[in-house]
């Protein structure tokens, strides 16, 4: 290869690299950006091989020149450009072997290349004062124009064909139109439907990208949304009934991957549902562009990333690691910091008569949050700060909450227990100092009559819960008081709570009961009711932060061993407030889960506890 041709190719590639590097700093996303970056990476490697033979011929001639400034600029530009090419090659090696690189390397690469380019332009400007220099400059400009023309052609083709590589045009409806088509077309703000499955969440956790976040999500309610055994048992019963098609609406939120790919539209009218195994995947939340906070149904609109190369492919991952800014812009939105994001699914209200089960109802938590009139967002409590990669912190993707399935992992259970116990730092929703558990319990002044004695328990929600409690499938929730009246630290005079775990309650035990248990469904001739929890003394929900109730514990004098009580002062009331995701009757109504496995009784969580001396002398 002649020196002139080598110089033309070398300077042309250098020019393209500098211009394309500057263009990558803009917020141009999509197929064109991917193509420009891919060409930039390939030419960067080629440039490293071309510069060595060129310098071998060029340096001896320039070094003999008497123009000191030109020599220094040439040497400086050479060192800087070689440094830029070396850092670029090192980064390419790292990302091609599926390693992450820090922004520090990118900054060094960028500034070395830009400084080298500036010095090269000055070097050529001084050299152009003489004829040999003008010839070299002409060769360089020819190469630069050729490289820019080739780059422009690549970008034009990529931009023109990128959308066709990604999507196919289909009609769509507006949010709020009911019922939406189950082919996924209503999910896209661009009116387009994804013609290939979106990136699975596993790709987000591999190769050092987001391993900690992926591991958290995998064990979270979102990661388990289409695997939760209680949900699958309910889905199985619904599929066996006359309204089996209603399962499609359940899976719009429990398995939205089926909706995005059109799997729900192809779902047969009967038989088991073959789930994607993705639950509420990473791409569903991070592609969400719009929700309707006023529509009492699952509603969301997704905006697919406008890239030609699949992000889960080997080349796609290389491009993301090389220049992650477009990836971050595609999956980041101001909506992610607002409760409005959660309205896509958690605004839904459900009232469905499920054969063999009864009435299944869900009170949407989003409306309960709105009615509480608090400023904190859902993410402030349910996505607390979590430590991930070294020196990096992120919002936890375990999504802790009382209704979390606790048998997934010890880490998930520990975080939920920390949330309930108050060990987890939470914002105060009423600007009132509060710490400790989410609920506060105390013993009030004893009241006596000729037949009974009443010990009032004062239970209040601290200003750390931003919505009504309990919420969601509150018919299935079991919240109850466990208490003991103990004399001399060992003699139990009276008891409230479960006789055995999951079993019936002692008479008079206070237990949460949702009001208006029975209701007539539209178009049905008979009324349906949900499985009732254990029998007890009912109390209501805690409707807003700071809401409290006085729950009486009544004791008949006839049930007490009153002998010697007049002189006794060592009597103590010990009380606890417990929570269980699903009561025993609800578990039995769900029957067996998938593969005819018996569903376990969910573990209980301690919400509050107290103890106080009680004077039980009969006056």
């Amino acid at each position: 290869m002649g020196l002139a041709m080598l110089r033309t190719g070398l300077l042309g590639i250098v020019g393209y690299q500098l211009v394309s590097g500057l263009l990558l700093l803009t917020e141009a996303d999509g197929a064109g950006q991917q193509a420009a970056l891919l060409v930039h990476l390939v030419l960067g490697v080629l440039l490293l091989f071309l510069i060595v033979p060129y310098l071998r011929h060029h340096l001896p001639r320039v070094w003999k020149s008497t123009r000191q400034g030109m020599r220094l600029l040439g040497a400086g530009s050479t060192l800087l450009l070689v440094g830029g090419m070396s850092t670029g090659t090192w980064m390419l090696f790292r990302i091609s072997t599926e390693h992450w690189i820090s922004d520090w390397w990118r900054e060094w690469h960028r500034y070395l290349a830009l400084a080298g380019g500036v010095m090269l332009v000055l070097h050529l400007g001084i050299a152009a004062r003489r004829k040999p220099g003008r010839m070299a400059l002409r060769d360089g400009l020819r190469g630069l124009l050729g490289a820019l023309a080739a780059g422009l052609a690549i970008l034009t083709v990529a931009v023109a064909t990128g959308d066709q590589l990604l999507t196919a045009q289909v009609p769509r409806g507006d949010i709020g139109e009911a019922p939406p088509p189950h082919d996924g077309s209503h999910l896209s703000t661009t009116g387009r439907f994804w013609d290939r499955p979106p990136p699975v969440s596993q790709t987000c956790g591999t190769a050092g990208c987001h391993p900690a976040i992926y591991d958290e999500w995998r064990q979270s309610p979102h990661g388990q949304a289409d695997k939760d055994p209680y949900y699958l048992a309910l889905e199985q019963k619904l599929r066996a009934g006359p309204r089996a098609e209603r399962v499609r609406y359940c899976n719009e939120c429990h398995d939205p991957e089926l909706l995005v790919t059109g799997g729900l539209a192809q779902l047969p009218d009967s038989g088991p549902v073959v789930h994607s195994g993705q639950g509420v995947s990473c791409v569903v939340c991070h592609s969400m562009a719009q929700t309707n906070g006023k529509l009492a149904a699952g509603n969301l609109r997704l905006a697919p990333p406008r890239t030609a190369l699949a992000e889960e492919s080997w080349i796609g991952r290389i491009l993301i690691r090389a220049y992650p800014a477009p990836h971050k812009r595609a999956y980041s939105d101001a909506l992610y910091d607002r409760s409005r994001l959660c309205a896509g699914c958690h605004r839904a209200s459900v009232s469905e008569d499920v054969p063999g089960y009864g009435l299944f109802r869900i009170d949407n938590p989003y409306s309960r949050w709105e009615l509480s009139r608090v400023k904190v967002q859902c993410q402030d409590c349910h996505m607390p700060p979590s430590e991930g990669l070294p020196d990096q912190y992120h919002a936890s993707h375990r999504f802790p909450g009382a209704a979390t399935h606790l048998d997934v992992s010890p880490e998930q259970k520990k975080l939920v227990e920390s949330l309930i116990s108050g060990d987890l730092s939470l914002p105060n929703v009423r600007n009132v100092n509060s710490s400790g558990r989410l609920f506060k319990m105390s013993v009030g002044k004893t009241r006596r009559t000729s037949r009974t004695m009443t010990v009032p328990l004062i239970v209040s929600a601290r200003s750390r819960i931003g919505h009504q409690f309990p919420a969601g499938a509150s018919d299935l929730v079991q919240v109850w008081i466990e208490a003991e009246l103990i004399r001399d630290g060992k003699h139990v005079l009276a008891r409230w709570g479960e006789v055995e775990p999951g079993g019936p309650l002692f008479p008079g035990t206070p237990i949460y009961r949702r009001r208006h248990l029975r209701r007539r469904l539209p178009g049905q001739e008979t009324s349906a009711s949900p499985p009732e929890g254990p029998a007890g003394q009912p109390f209501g929900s805690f409707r807003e932060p700071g809401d409290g109730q006085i729950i009486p514990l009544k004791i008949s004098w006839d049930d007490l061993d009153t002998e010697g009580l007049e002189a006794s002062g060592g009597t103590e009331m010990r009380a606890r407030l417990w929570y269980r995701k699903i009561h025993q009757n609800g578990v039995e109504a769900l029957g067996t889960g998938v593969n005819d496995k018996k569903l376990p009784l969910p573990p209980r969580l301690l919400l509050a506890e107290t103890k106080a001396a009680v004077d039980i002398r009969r006056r």
Side-chain angles (χ1 to χ4, degrees), residues 489-572:
K490 53 184 178 181
H491 300 294
V492 179
L493 303 178
R495 178 175 292 169
W496 299 264
E498 293 181 320
V499 176
E500 59 184 20
L505 304 177
F506 288 106
T509 296
I511 183 171
Y512 164 75
R513 186 79 73 232
R514 177 178 173 177
R515 291 177 172 83
H516 309 296
L517 196 59
R518 291 181 177 272
R519 60 170 293 184
R520 187 178 298 276
L521 297 178
Q524 291 188 344
E525 297 180 357
T526 60
S527 295
S529 63
E532 296 189 23
Q537 185 66 31
F539 63 87
S541 62
F542 300 87
R543 294 188 173 276
E544 59 182 25
D547 191 12
Q549 301 184 47
I550 298 178
I551 301 175
L553 297 177
K554 291 187 177 182
I555 312 165
S556 173
W557 294 114
D558 296 335
D559 296 334
L560 286 176
D561 178 12
T562 58
E563 212 175 293
L565 290 184
E566 296 297 329
S568 174
T571 307
E572 186 178 57

Side-chain angles (χ1 to χ4, degrees), residues 6 11 61 68 103 110-111 121 146 171 173 177 191 343 378 396 449 453-454 512 526 528 602 610-611:
L6 186 63
L11 293 178
R61 295 174 53 195
Q68 188 75 10
D103 291 335
R110 181 178 300 136
Y111 292 124
V121 171
E177 292 183 355
C378 301
S396 173
T449 66
M453 176 183 69
T454 302
Y512 164 75
T526 60
T610 188
K611 61 180 179 179

Side-chain angles (χ1 to χ4, degrees), residues 10-61:
L10 182 67
L11 293 178
I13 293 176
V14 169
Y16 174 81
Q17 295 294 87
L18 293 174
V19 173
S20 62
L22 291 174
L23 289 176
L24 290 176
L25 294 179
T26 66
E27 295 190 2
D29 298 334
Q33 183 271 337
Q34 279 191 323
L37 179 58
L38 188 59
V39 173
H40 185 91
L41 295 175
V42 174
L43 291 183
V45 177
L46 179 62
L47 185 61
L48 195 61
F49 289 97
L50 291 179
I51 198 171
V52 175
Y54 178 76
L55 292 178
R56 210 170 113 200
H57 292 86
H58 184 65
L59 282 179
R61 295 174 53 195

